[in-house]
Amino acid sequence: DSDILNAIDWAVTAKKQGTYNVCSINLSLGSDDYWTSPCGNGAYEQAFAAARAAGVATAIAAGNENKKDRLSSPACAPSAVSVGAVYDSNVGAKYWSSCTDAATAADRVTCFSNSASYLTLLAPGSDITAGGITLAGTSQASPHVAAAIALLKAAKPAASVDEIVAALASTGKRVTDAGNGVTTPRID
């Protein structure tokens, strides 16, 4: 935990000092601590809120445990940009450790993706090939969001984190998770 918090503090300091123009951070991680509502009382929330206030968004993987009413920590923090996973195409039946998707299709939420009414965004998370390796998970989806935030910030340097996240949410395709009926925007 302290390594993550130190890295976020470094990014915020670098941003404030003008050393680097950091605008987004990807955290492809999670814990076995799940929350049915935002978890706003911890050190993560303080760090994410400070980052957001400095103009740095934190895109965080929602988790891969097939929890359809909760997110893992730290994605549950109110200042986090929590990210769930969708398929980007029909990849055939998929058998995961916690569930099975008998059928897959573009913009179908993966059965493993944690979800809750307060999930921020969805992005492609299965099957993602990079560097010759194919993986799946919300840890594959959150970098898409961090990169989209960076691209929008480059196009609109004066935009706040809130404005950029709102733009991603308002322009994203509305996708309903069959596992819980929750509809969340998939970045476009």
Side-chain angles (χ1 to χ4, degrees):
D1 290 350
S2 63
D3 289 341
I4 296 165
L5 296 173
N6 288 337
I8 294 168
D9 184 55
W10 175 88
V12 170
T13 300
K15 174 81 170 189
K16 287 180 178 178
Q17 292 176 344
T19 308
Y20 297 102
N21 189 16
V22 179
C23 61
S24 65
I25 298 170
N26 174 62
L27 294 177
S28 289
L29 51 82
S31 71
D32 292 333
D33 191 12
Y34 305 101
W35 294 77
T36 57
S37 61
C39 57
N41 295 329
Y44 282 121
E45 173 54 22
Q46 292 173 3
F48 300 159
R52 190 176 273 245
V56 180
T58 51
I60 306 174
N64 305 321
E65 294 78 25
N66 188 23
K67 307 282 186 194
K68 295 301 181 179
D69 62 347
R70 62 196 71 210
L71 302 181
S72 67
S73 177
C76 58
S79 295
V81 179
S82 55
V83 184
V86 297
Y87 291 99
D88 69 348
S89 63
N90 180 348
V91 295
K94 297 297 285 190
Y95 305 94
W96 308 106
S97 61
S98 63
C99 60
T100 298
D101 280 321
T104 61
D107 293 327
R108 179 178 178 156
V109 176
T110 63
C111 65
F112 61 74
S113 182
N114 292 352
S115 178
S117 60
Y118 65 98
L119 179 67
T120 310
L121 297 167
L122 294 166
S126 183
D127 291 347
I128 306 302
T129 302
I133 299 169
T134 300
L135 296 171
T138 58
S139 290
Q140 304 304 307
S142 61
H144 286 93
V145 171
I149 290 167
L151 287 170
L152 288 176
K153 186 67 174 173
K156 299 286 184 183
S160 70
V161 172
D162 290 341
E163 291 169 329
I164 290 172
V165 172
L168 289 170
S170 67
T171 61
K173 180 179 180 180
R174 310 285 298 166
V175 176
T176 300
D177 187 334
N180 62 5
V182 171
T183 300
T184 307
R186 188 262 300 140
I187 63 168
D188 186 10

